[in-house]
Every structure is written in C-alpha cells, then in structure tokens.
Amino acid sequence: MKVHELARSEQVSAATIRHYVRVGLLQPRKGSNGYHVFAEPEQRRLRFIRQARGLGFTLEDIQTILQDAEKGQSPCPTVRQLIEPRLQQAREKLEAMQALVERMENAVASWQEQPDCQPCGDHICLLIEGSDHTEQNRGGDASHE
Amino acid sequence: MKVHELARSEQVSAATIRHYVRVGLLQPRKGSNGYHVFAEPEQRRLRFIRQARGLGFTLEDIQTILQDAEKGQSPCPTVRQLIEPRLQQAREKLEAMQALVERMENAVASWQEQPDCQPCGDHICLLIEGSDHTEQNRGGDASHE
DNA sequence: TGTTGACCTGAGAGTAAGGCTCAGGTTTAT
DNA sequence: ATAAACCTGAGCCTTACTCTCAGGTCAACA
Ligand SMILES: [Zn+2]
Ligand SMILES: [Zn+2]
Ligand SMILES: [Zn+2]
Ligand SMILES: [Zn+2]
C-alpha cells in the first residue's frame, strides 16, 4: 500500500497521512525505491488514530497511548486519564461557541433595523460599537446618529 | 500611554497589543526613545478591535473594516457582508463541538462499565476502538475479550 | 557617576493539525 | 526515449496570539 491507496481506503487525505508519518505516529517500511509501504498493522494504526481523534484526543495524546500499547501495557488507564481534561476543554469551547453564535445572531438581527452609519470621526462602525446586544441597552447617549 | 498602560486600561495582554502593532492593526506614534505612544484614537481603535473580535470577526476582517472607515466610507456594508460566512462557520463549529462533547460523554459513560483491555496484538485499545458509542452495538464478534 | 532593576523594543519561534508547494526521483505507457 | 502520473522529504502557510531573547532606556539609589 502506498500513501494514496491508504488514504483512499481510510477516507483521509494523503497529506494527513504524510503528517502522521512526519510526526512519528505512523512508521511505514520503506521500499527499495524509497516509497512508503503501509501494511496491515499500519492500516489498523491509522484507523485507531482516526477513532481517537474522533473522541477528541490530540495527536500527542495518541502518541502516548500508542507508546503504552507498544510497551505491552494496557493503555486504558492513560486513556481514561487523558480524556478528562479534553472533555473539560471541549465543554468550555462548546459554551464559548454557543455564546458566540448567540452574540452574532443577536447582532445580525438588530442590524436589520439599523441604518448604515456614516463616518463622523467619533466612531468607527456603530453596528459593532453599539453591540450591547446581550444586555438590554441602558438608555444613555444612544441617540448618537 | 505605553503598551502596558494601554493593556491594563483595556483588559488585554501587552503581547496582544504588540501583536496588533505587528500586523498593522494599531499604528502608534513612536516617541524619540523608540517607545510606542498610544493616544486616544489608538485606544478607541483597540476597543473597536476587541468588540469586533467578540462578534467573531477575524483580524483580517477587522483590517478591512478599519480600512473602509479610514477611506471615509461607511464600513457597514462590509460588516454586514463579512459576518455572514463567520456566522455560518461559527454554527458549523458549534454543531461539531456539540457532537464531539456528546461522543466524549457517551464514551466516558460506557467506559465506566468496561474493564481495562489487555494487549493481545489484534487491537490497540478497546475503549477507543469499540467506540460505537453513538450507534447501538450490533451483536457480532463483540465477545472479544 | 556608576549601577541596579524595571521597563521597553523588534524579531523570531512555538502552538494544533494539517494544507500546499516545490524540486527532484520513479514508474508506467506510449 | 520520453512524457504523464505518481512518489518523496522538506519547508512554509494558516489563526491569534504567547513566549523568549538580545539589546536599548529609564528612574532611583549610593
Ligand atoms: Zn458619529
Ligand atoms: Zn457601521
Ligand atoms: Zn484482543
Ligand atoms: Zn484499552
């Protein structure tokens, strides 16, 4: 199996496989012509990497896990340990994305009723600067333009 | 105002301000000693940048917007146009994060009842490889270990 | 006046996970 | 023989910073 063949068979880009080879996650044999030769174990390894990526592990996590397995240890304790901070981070990112989408949607909605602002030196763009879109606008010098 | 003073007054890191200077988003005057001098307009500019970032614009988007405003044009049309793909991308990322967190939580939950796997040559880690955690496991050669 | 310590500068590298490009080697078919 | 198609490693690009570094500046104190 050459890079592109493996890539097709596992639904990843050849660039991704090259990247894994580069960082040492995959170690294919080299044929006499210099071409990479991927056999069964490498293919299973790639499948494993993709599954682990799908569960939020980083490539470095996966390195650690694979190294455990290669030393004949059960990687499970490492796996159970590594997923905790990843899950925590994923939850945080999820919340951040929820908040962001909400802010963006509120902004777009309120912009429908706002006219384009004209440059006047004391602001840059009122669509953006007047984005108290999460809190209710406290009545102040809002009648700016 | 020097970098650290501006940083404190606007709640960003000095490194961030340096970064903005480096990419041209901020163009402070230089004092005779070579130090940056941030005055009112630069401070408002920074505030604007932060608000735009909070709405999901990229630094490049913000460059474009600021350049509009500097040319005396109203940046609003650009703003309305630029936010669309950003919102789209944010929604996609949000969905991806929701799916990821769900997969991770399902995995962690099911792992509670799974024992650590022992290396046996035909798998790497069953916690990860047996992650049909989204679909129901179709009964097959599941009695592997 | 000398020196210390705090602050400042630009440049450069690092981050995660690949994507893209390049020059050059190989294979296959004409 | 030669051209098309494929392969290789190396290196730079992406985002929005963050960190590090060598060297310049400044205030205070002896
Ligand atoms: Zn105005
Ligand atoms: Zn505007
Ligand atoms: Zn087994
Ligand atoms: Zn395991």
Side-chain angles (χ1 to χ4, degrees):
Chain A
M1 266 215 184
K2 284 177 286 188
V3 168
H4 283 272
E5 293 166 353
L6 180 61
R8 263 189 300 281
S9 91
E10 295 294 327
Q11 314 269 39
V12 297
S13 76
T16 296
I17 293 178
R18 286 245 171 69
H19 182 62
Y20 293 166
V21 172
R22 181 149 30 173
V23 300
L25 273 173
L26 292 176
Q27 287 145 310
R29 290 182 300 111
K30 304 280 296 272
S32 56
N33 50 9
Y35 287 16
H36 291 307
V37 179
F38 296 91
E40 249 300 297
E42 294 301 327
Q43 188 167 4
R44 265 187 307 160
R45 213 174 155 92
L46 174 58
R47 198 148 36 223
F48 180 81
I49 294 169
R50 291 272 101 192
Q51 285 171 330
R53 290 282 299 122
L55 284 176
F57 291 100
T58 69
L59 295 188
E60 200 177 354
D61 291 344
I62 298 170
Q63 271 289 28
T64 306
I65 293 166
L66 286 170
Q67 281 164 5
D68 273 10
E70 262 163 24
K71 283 186 292 189
Q73 297 173 19
S74 169
C76 298
T78 302
V79 167
R80 294 180 200 274
Q81 201 172 4
L82 285 175
I83 204 169
E84 283 305 332
R86 300 303 169 220
L87 179 51
Q88 181 61 27
Q89 291 157 12
R91 286 195 183 113
E92 284 166 13
K93 200 161 189 174
L94 173 59
E95 282 182 36
M97 289 309 299
Q98 280 167 337
L100 174 60
V101 167
E102 198 168 333
R103 277 196 309 276
M104 294 176 83
E105 285 176 342
N106 286 340
V108 169
S110 85
W111 291 354
Q112 303 240 345
E113 295 146 19
Q114 278 180 62
D116 287 5
C117 64
Q118 294 308 315
C120 84
D122 65 335
H123 68 266
I124 296 170
C125 177
L126 292 177
L127 295 184
I128 286 169
E129 282 160 301
S131 70
D132 294 332
H133 301 294
T134 50
E135 298 110 308
Q136 65 286 14
N137 302 356
R138 55 264 186 275
D141 53 300
S143 61
H144 173 72
E145 188 150 326
Chain B
M1 265 213 187
K2 283 176 288 188
V3 168
H4 282 273
E5 293 166 354
L6 179 61
R8 263 189 299 281
S9 91
E10 296 293 326
Q11 314 267 41
V12 295
S13 77
T16 297
I17 294 177
R18 287 242 171 70
H19 180 63
Y20 293 165
V21 172
R22 180 153 27 176
V23 299
L25 275 172
L26 292 176
Q27 288 144 313
R29 291 182 298 112
K30 306 280 298 273
S32 55
N33 49 11
Y35 287 16
H36 292 307
V37 179
F38 296 90
E40 248 300 297
E42 294 301 325
Q43 188 166 3
R44 265 188 306 159
R45 212 173 154 94
L46 174 58
R47 197 146 39 219
F48 179 82
I49 293 168
R50 291 272 101 194
Q51 285 171 328
R53 289 284 298 123
L55 284 176
F57 292 100
T58 68
L59 295 188
E60 200 177 354
D61 292 343
I62 298 171
Q63 271 288 27
T64 306
I65 294 166
L66 287 170
Q67 281 163 5
D68 274 10
E70 263 163 22
K71 284 186 293 191
Q73 298 172 20
S74 169
C76 298
T78 300
V79 166
R80 295 181 201 272
Q81 202 173 2
L82 284 176
I83 205 169
E84 282 306 331
R86 300 303 169 220
L87 179 51
Q88 181 60 27
Q89 291 157 11
R91 286 195 183 113
E92 284 166 12
K93 198 159 188 174
L94 173 58
E95 282 182 38
M97 289 309 299
Q98 280 168 335
L100 174 60
V101 167
E102 199 168 332
R103 277 197 308 277
M104 295 176 80
E105 286 176 343
N106 286 340
V108 169
S110 85
W111 292 352
Q112 303 241 343
E113 295 146 20
Q114 277 179 60
D116 287 5
C117 63
Q118 293 308 316
C120 82
D122 66 334
H123 68 265
I124 296 170
C125 177
L126 292 177
L127 295 184
I128 285 170
E129 281 160 302
S131 71
D132 295 334
H133 300 296
T134 52
E135 298 110 306
Q136 65 284 17
N137 301 358
R138 58 264 185 273
D141 53 300
S143 61
H144 174 72
E145 190 152 329

